Amino acid sequence: MHNDILINWSPQETRVAVIEAGAVQELHHERTLERGLVGNIYLGKVSRVLPGMQSAFIDIGLERAAFLHVADVWQRQENGEAPMFARKNEAPVPIERQVFEGQSIMVQVIKDPIGTKGARLSTQISVAGRLLVFLPQDDHVGVSQKIPQEERDELRGRLQALVGTKETGGCGGFILRTNGEDSSDDELSEDIAYLRKVWKRIRESSLKLPPRTLLHQDLNLMQRVLRDMVSDETTSIRIDSREQFEQLLHFGQEFMPAAVPKLQHYKGERPIFDLYAVDEEIARALGRRVDLKSGGYLIVDQTEALTTVDVNTGGYVGARNFDETIFKTNLEAAHAIARQLRLRNLGGIIIVDFIDMLREDHQASVLQELRKQLERDRVKTMCGGFSQLGLVEMTRKRTRESLAHMLCTPCPLCHGVGQVKTVRTVCYDILREILREARQFNPKEFRVVACSKVVEMFLDEESQHLAGLSDFIGKPISLQADNALGQDLYDIVLL
């Protein structure tokens, strides 16, 4: 299916929307101040070597020195056959024999700085492409272990033939990524050429530039659009910034020439995301409920362990019989579920509770439609059949933060639970807490500080219970409203 890509750029944020059949299918965000360092390659300078910790601190031009452990120092076998890290059963060469203070060394960030800790580094360089990962210090050709074993040998042979050997001029190792499983030889060859060109530029920079210099930064979101998202089905790539359009055009001409004819500078007066109501779609994608055209709806709940999707008929009553109504709703839901997974970038375990269907042919049709829609997803997804409980289990690879985790933070009132205690429940919690405090302390008075709804209920419906507790403990209980407190928050002050 043909698609269009819209890029909305601002100094603080880049947003990308993928449009198919007039509807938003994918959303991508990247913020300037939150962009990570993982994957960046620096020419660092060794500032300290600590033999006791078997580590070294490397100055790469950041606020804090980065950390290099001996286990992350790349070594070559004595016979020179293949580069590697120290084997698990062998002690690594002591770090003081591998690096020295003042040495210039090429390193790559493998972990971002956290709190007071600097970034963690490795000296084994890897450069990620669209389909492959390039290991310039290695000669190994491998295939992702997530690809089935029966396909791995064939793919390795194809890739080895394209890469070549030292005798035929091939250099560097390559690993086929999971999303390159179904790629053609032409696509793989294009990625090999692109990665070797990037590495050549990195090496040349390392010979010319001084230490503490950034040699290579992982592609920004706009560049990753050309590398990862553009396909034969892409009709256009529209960007609303003239400056960024020219930069992207230059990048495409050098590395992705096939994508250049599709690039367009959007000059319209309306914001580019208004063309397909993308901002409204983002707002809807952050909610639990997804309405279907028929009148049915989905309820999407994302938790740390898994994501659940519940299908409901809602106001849809159908035109024939109840079985047909359920079947039509489930078919429409299969379309919507596949779209929501891409739109919200939901990963991990996903459980779908379709409306129960008695006929097996209806179940088979719904499952077939769901799998058909999931095939359009670039992210690898595995979908099982109906379980004994009528649930469909699937997994979707986690590639980045979900839309909700990126744009939202847990509610400070409910702390991410999604609900708070009722006013009456809070009143009863307060009564129990006062009784507990009265057994331990002997104040002159108890003062309850709570939100106005709780105070109002104590003065009205729960006044008899409050007065009864006051008589029982022999102490007065006063009330104070504080609307700065949430509904289920309160304080009991001993006076």
Side-chain angles (χ1 to χ4, degrees):
M1 184 177 291
H2 294 293
N3 62 64
D4 293 282
I5 298 176
L6 308 180
I7 303 177
N8 169 230
W9 181 88
S10 63
Q12 68 274 8
E13 184 180 49
T14 301
R15 303 189 299 169
V16 174
V18 179
I19 312 296
E20 290 180 7
V24 184
Q25 301 293 332
E26 292 182 36
L27 291 166
H28 302 263
H29 288 71
E30 183 178 81
R31 291 172 174 169
T32 306
L33 296 179
E34 296 177 356
R35 190 174 177 188
L37 302 176
V38 173
N40 289 359
I41 300 173
Y42 294 85
L43 183 62
K45 184 175 182 179
V46 181
S47 57
R48 289 183 66 192
V49 179
L50 305 174
M53 295 177 59
Q54 281 300 292
S55 60
F57 286 105
I58 314 295
D59 185 358
I60 57 175
L62 301 179
E63 182 180 350
R64 293 185 298 273
F67 179 80
L68 175 66
H69 190 264
V70 68
D72 297 315
V73 177
W74 174 85
Q75 301 174 34
R76 181 177 293 275
Q77 288 179 288
E78 292 182 1
N79 58 16
E81 290 181 357
M84 56 176 289
F85 288 102
R87 294 178 179 176
K88 291 182 180 179
N89 297 330
E90 296 179 1
V93 178
I95 196 165
E96 62 268 24
R97 290 171 51 189
Q98 300 188 66
V99 299
F100 55 88
E101 291 187 14
Q103 176 186 0
S104 295
I105 184 172
M106 188 186 297
V107 290
Q108 186 168 31
V109 178
I110 59 175
K111 190 173 182 180
D112 280 320
I114 300 176
T116 58
K117 296 181 179 179
R120 182 159 181 171
L121 306 175
S122 172
T123 60
Q124 184 175 38
I125 308 300
S126 64
V127 184
R130 179 181 181 184
L131 308 171
L132 304 166
V133 175
F134 182 40
L135 306 174
Q137 301 152 312
D138 206 333
D139 298 321
H140 172 69
V141 173
V143 178
S144 169
Q145 293 185 354
K146 295 182 180 179
I147 296 176
Q149 179 64 46
E150 55 270 17
E151 302 176 21
R152 214 177 295 162
D153 294 337
E154 179 188 351
L155 290 169
R156 186 182 292 106
R158 283 178 52 202
L159 184 57
Q160 183 67 69
L162 295 172
V163 171
T165 62
K166 285 185 177 180
E167 290 74 16
T168 60
C171 61
F174 288 87
I175 297 175
L176 183 69
R177 299 174 66 180
T178 307
N179 60 348
E181 180 178 357
D182 301 319
S183 303
S184 66
D185 287 353
D186 289 341
E187 290 175 320
L188 293 174
S189 297
E190 183 179 341
D191 215 34
I192 290 170
Y194 160 72
L195 290 170
R196 283 176 170 164
K197 188 181 294 185
V198 170
W199 174 241
K200 181 181 178 181
R201 188 184 63 194
I202 293 171
R203 286 191 62 189
E204 290 175 351
S205 299
S206 68
L207 299 174
K208 299 176 183 177
L209 298 174
R212 298 185 288 272
T213 300
L214 175 63
L215 301 177
H216 171 75
Q217 187 174 33
D218 194 21
L219 301 182
N220 61 37
L221 178 56
M222 288 188 294
Q223 293 167 334
R224 294 200 304 273
V225 166
L226 295 193
R227 186 186 72 183
D228 300 334
M229 301 184 196
V230 177
S231 62
D232 294 337
E233 285 90 22
T234 303
T235 304
S236 65
I237 309 162
R238 286 178 274 181
I239 180 170
D240 59 2
S241 165
R242 162 63 69 179
E243 180 183 357
Q244 300 302 319
F245 167 74
E246 291 176 352
Q247 292 183 12
L248 201 57
L249 186 65
H250 178 73
F251 173 81
Q253 289 170 342
E254 184 175 1
F255 296 108
M256 301 288 171
V260 170
K262 302 176 182 180
L263 280 170
Q264 300 175 13
H265 175 222
Y266 175 72
K267 303 177 182 178
E269 294 183 1
R270 296 173 60 196
I272 190 169
F273 270 20
D274 283 4
L275 298 179
Y276 294 94
V278 178
D279 287 319
E280 290 82 351
E281 198 63 58
I282 293 174
R284 285 194 289 270
L286 296 175
R288 293 179 66 230
R289 178 168 171 146
V290 179
D291 291 318
L292 305 177
K293 292 182 180 178
S294 64
Y297 61 92
L298 311 177
I299 296 294
V300 182
D301 283 316
Q302 184 182 358
T303 68
E304 187 173 345
L306 51 81
T307 298
T308 60
V309 183
D310 185 31
V311 183
N312 299 280
T313 55
Y316 181 49
V317 295
R320 296 185 182 179
N321 55 51
F322 188 59
D323 287 344
E324 286 296 322
T325 299
I326 291 174
F327 177 55
K328 294 293 184 183
T329 304
N330 283 338
L331 273 182
E332 186 182 2
H335 281 264
I337 290 167
R339 176 172 176 257
Q340 290 298 320
L341 297 186
R342 296 174 62 189
L343 189 63
R344 299 169 184 243
N345 192 37
L346 299 173
I349 300 172
I350 299 157
I351 306 295
V352 182
D353 184 11
F354 286 104
I355 306 170
D356 292 338
M357 294 173 285
L358 300 178
R359 292 172 51 176
E360 292 186 1
D361 60 326
H362 282 177
Q363 289 187 0
S365 297
V366 169
L367 196 60
Q368 181 182 3
E369 186 61 33
L370 178 61
R371 288 171 174 166
K372 178 183 175 182
Q373 297 300 319
L374 292 174
E375 288 176 358
R376 295 161 52 189
D377 196 342
R378 281 194 303 273
V379 179
K380 189 171 184 179
T381 305
M382 298 179 63
C383 179
F386 281 90
S387 69
Q388 291 183 342
L389 298 177
L391 306 175
V392 174
E393 302 172 2
M394 66 177 76
T395 60
R396 187 172 184 269
K397 183 180 178 182
R398 295 184 190 273
T399 56
R400 51 192 168 89
E401 289 280 8
S402 69
L403 186 69
H405 285 165
M406 184 176 295
L407 301 183
C408 302
T409 188
C411 170
L413 298 180
C414 71
H415 304 289
V417 175
Q419 55 191 14
V420 295
K421 292 181 178 180
T422 65
V423 174
R424 195 178 304 276
T425 301
V426 176
C427 288
Y428 293 170
D429 286 346
I430 291 173
L431 294 177
R432 283 191 293 270
E433 184 65 24
I434 291 175
L435 183 60
R436 185 181 297 112
E437 296 286 343
R439 290 171 176 169
Q440 299 180 31
F441 305 101
N442 186 31
K444 293 182 179 180
E445 177 185 343
F446 290 92
R447 176 168 296 171
V448 176
V449 182
C451 73
S452 58
K453 290 183 178 180
V454 173
V455 171
E456 288 171 5
M457 180 161 283
F458 270 133
L459 294 175
D460 186 11
E461 299 178 30
E462 296 297 333
S463 59
Q464 185 175 354
H465 291 148
L466 185 66
L469 178 62
S470 179
D471 291 341
F472 179 76
I473 63 176
K475 304 289 181 181
I477 301 173
S478 61
L479 302 172
Q480 179 180 331
D482 185 353
N483 286 325
L485 294 174
Q487 181 170 300
D488 58 352
L489 298 178
Y490 61 87
D491 192 15
I492 298 175
V493 183
L494 308 182
L495 300 176

